[in-house]
Amino acid sequence: MKTKQYVIIGNSAAAIGCVEGIRQLDKAGAVTIVSREPHHTYSRPLISYLLGGKTDRQRMRYRDADFYETHGVRPLLGHTALSLDPAQKTVALDDGQVLPYDKLLVATGSVPFVPPMEGLDLVSKKFTFLSLDDADALADAVTADSRVLIVGAGLIGLKCAEGLSGRAGSLTVVDLAPQILPSVLDERAAALVQAHIERQGVRLLLSVSAARFEDGAAHLTDGSTVPFDVLVLAVGVRPNVSPAREAGATAGRGLITDEYMRTNLPDVYAAGDCTESFDITSGERKPLALLPNAYLQGETAGLHMAGGGKPFCTAMPMNAVGFWDLHIVSAGSYTGNAYVQCEEGHYRKLVCRDNLLQGFILIGDVLRAGIYTALIRDRVPLDTIDFELIKDKPGLIAFSRRDRQKKLGVKPA
Amino acid sequence: MKRIYVSEKWCLGCHLCEYYCAFANSGSDDMAKALMNRRINPRIQVEERGGISFAVSCRHCEEPLCVKSCITGALSSEGGLITIDKNRCVACHTCVLVCPYGTIMPSDDGMMQKCELCLKNTIGEPACVKYCPNRAIIYEDSDVPAAAR
């Protein structure tokens, strides 16, 4: 059989998942990774930990230094894929190389979304916060005296604030939304986390936005002015659908795929932040820019490219994040009947609908949260377990003796 | 591959597995010194209620969601054994969020820990199995005949 040519555009979780998926079934095929960034594969969410001195460039590698060698990957790092030709089955790079493929994965990730804001072009020290190069540039710009203004109180903006907290003179975060982390938390949980973040000395300004910038100052919609030395734009991210969409791949907000991560173009797959996922808890298609989702999609694509595999159909919003040692985990969606426990520093919300757990938020005590996640993922009917028993403390004790035996006991011969 | 299996029929709820687990992974050769007057963080934990008890530790899944979801690459699977490189862990708790058994938890220093079948400590075989007084925790191949249970 002819050796298959696999080409992967991207070098993060979805790309690595794809390589590991391919290699489960095909040890011989030629795998090429094309990445705009010149770096070895690294964990993107760790850039805030790098700023905070909690990891370093070696430890933030997503895979070992010899990963490309051990997995038979030809890495073309520092090269941009400009276009793809689905008829000829080739990818054209910025240096003129044309790579033929039998199977192509588009894992182009997401790009920062910066809405048009008056005077933004006048600001000399402004940064986005999505890549290792962003983190390096920000680290170079921020000194112990710097007043840093971050626009966006989502995961990226607040993790950036935490990462900078030991480095900057002062930190202010501004967001148009009335609460922090609107994509992750409900109002009450957000207030709890907000108080915790404010206790660390971060100033949070909500329900306001920057009406106008000049170099060194933001004039807010409430009439106030925030002077700054360094500006970070963390409003949001958008799936990077280029160059696949130009080549004819169907895209909504992200690239559209089936459950094997195939696009509408023959032998072209897409995975990770550049795609839309089907959220099993809301029944909606939407971008889910989450690392575990990216890996699982990438692996699904890789297995299918190599001639096997099974569909991936358990995507849902999921977040695990900590701010100054306060841990937050959440999953699913929050429409339904809610069970809520809230006390000093702890929050627990479980949302049920149609005899299923649909979502949860845990703050503080997050131990064994995966048992809840599995109830959502596996669509476990709640009347088949003793759900009351685990509302305050997740455990396998909620399952029937038979199910516990299946999970923990010796499998039947 | 050999795995740990538990039987709630034989579990006494004595929690000895928790103590031996914590001791085995303490790096100390004195059990009293290692465990006395401190909160232990064992990698195996007993669930109990109303006369039912059973111990739960990592199942070393064939499709390990923890490994696939780990944001740093700290968790890996080799030959069916799932291990964590604590040096690369940043305690983001993604593994806690995805493990369907609830068997990855913070260690004494806050970074994550999990059962590694005592293959990375000096014991070399699962201490919970070795010291279970009622053989409620066993370590064997999954395809053993039913007579052995």
Side-chain angles (χ1 to χ4, degrees), chain A residues 308-327:
Chain A
K310 48 179 186 243
F312 173 60
C313 28
T314 53
M316 62 173 136
M318 246 178 18
N319 281 287
V321 64
F323 296 105
W324 288 273
D325 295 328
L326 180 65
H327 295 291

Side-chain angles (χ1 to χ4, degrees), chain A residues 24 43-46 49 54-55 58-64 291-292 295-296 299 310 318-322 327-331 360 366-371 373-374 377-378 386 389 394-399 401 404-413, chain B residues 3-9 39 45 47-49 52-57 59 62-63 65 67-75 87-106 110 138 140-146 149:
Chain A
Q24 285 175 45
S43 169
R44 210 166 280 283
L46 288 198
Y49 295 84
K54 289 181 181 159
T55 188
Q58 302 303 313
R59 287 187 293 155
M60 74 186 289
R61 279 186 174 148
Y62 185 52
R63 289 294 183 265
D64 290 338
L291 192 144
Y295 182 92
L296 291 167
E299 186 190 40
K310 48 179 186 243
M318 246 178 18
N319 281 287
V321 64
H327 295 291
I328 303 167
V329 301
S330 66
F360 66 85
V366 303
L367 291 180
R368 306 193 78 191
I371 292 174
T373 310
R377 186 193 301 117
D378 299 340
D386 192 344
L389 207 54
L396 301 179
I397 195 122
F399 289 91
R401 185 183 295 269
R404 287 198 300 266
Q405 171 69 20
K406 258 195 261 173
K407 289 174 192 294
L408 304 174
V410 183
K411 293 202 181 79
Chain B
R3 293 172 192 278
I4 287 180
Y5 298 98
V6 302
S7 159
E8 59 184 70
K9 193 166 108 191
R39 196 195 125 111
Q45 293 191 353
E47 283 192 42
E48 56 194 331
R49 186 189 161 87
I52 299 170
S53 62
F54 53 91
V56 186
S57 61
R59 309 306 301 147
E62 281 168 27
E63 294 279 332
L65 282 169
V67 173
K68 297 178 187 196
S69 302
C70 178
I71 70 164
T72 69
L75 281 155
N87 187 39
R88 283 163 79 178
C89 177
V90 295
C92 73
H93 286 61
T94 300
C95 51
V96 174
L97 172 62
V98 299
C99 171
Y101 302 100
T103 58
I104 310 184
M105 67 280 288
I138 53 175
E140 55 188 39
D141 283 311
S142 58
D143 52 355
V144 292
R149 279 169 248 156

Side-chain angles (χ1 to χ4, degrees), chain A residues 233-404:
Chain A
L233 297 161
V235 178
V237 295
R238 292 285 179 273
N240 181 18
V241 295
S242 258
R245 187 166 60 183
E246 290 82 341
T250 308
R253 282 191 283 166
L255 296 169
I256 308 284
T257 70
D258 68 4
E259 291 169 343
Y260 294 98
M261 311 317 298
R262 287 180 292 194
T263 68
N264 57 306
L265 302 175
D267 297 313
V268 178
Y269 296 67
D273 291 10
C274 63
T275 67
E276 276 182 17
S277 295
F278 179 76
D279 169 7
I280 57 167
T281 64
S282 68
E284 293 165 4
R285 296 198 68 96
K286 53 181 148 182
L288 289 176
L290 311 166
L291 192 144
N293 196 54
Y295 182 92
L296 291 167
Q297 289 184 334
E299 186 190 40
T300 300
L303 288 166
H304 196 267
M305 289 167 152
K310 48 179 186 243
F312 173 60
C313 28
T314 53
M316 62 173 136
M318 246 178 18
N319 281 287
V321 64
F323 296 105
W324 288 273
D325 295 328
L326 180 65
H327 295 291
I328 303 167
V329 301
S330 66
S333 55
Y334 310 139
T335 309
N337 295 321
Y339 169 80
V340 178
Q341 290 283 304
C342 188
E343 52 190 274
E344 188 57 35
H346 290 276
Y347 185 76
R348 169 175 301 262
K349 178 177 190 166
L350 306 176
V351 180
C352 303
R353 193 180 69 240
D354 303 333
N355 196 30
L356 299 172
L357 183 64
Q358 301 287 356
F360 66 85
I361 301 169
L362 303 181
I363 298 173
D365 178 7
V366 303
L367 291 180
R368 306 193 78 191
I371 292 174
Y372 294 145
T373 310
L375 293 180
I376 304 175
R377 186 193 301 117
D378 299 340
R379 311 312 271 158
V380 176
L382 295 181
D383 61 6
T384 65
I385 63 169
D386 192 344
F387 186 58
E388 285 299 318
L389 207 54
I390 57 167
K391 277 184 165 172
D392 293 315
K393 191 180 174 198
L396 301 179
I397 195 122
F399 289 91
S400 69
R401 185 183 295 269
R402 204 174 57 114
D403 284 342
R404 287 198 300 266

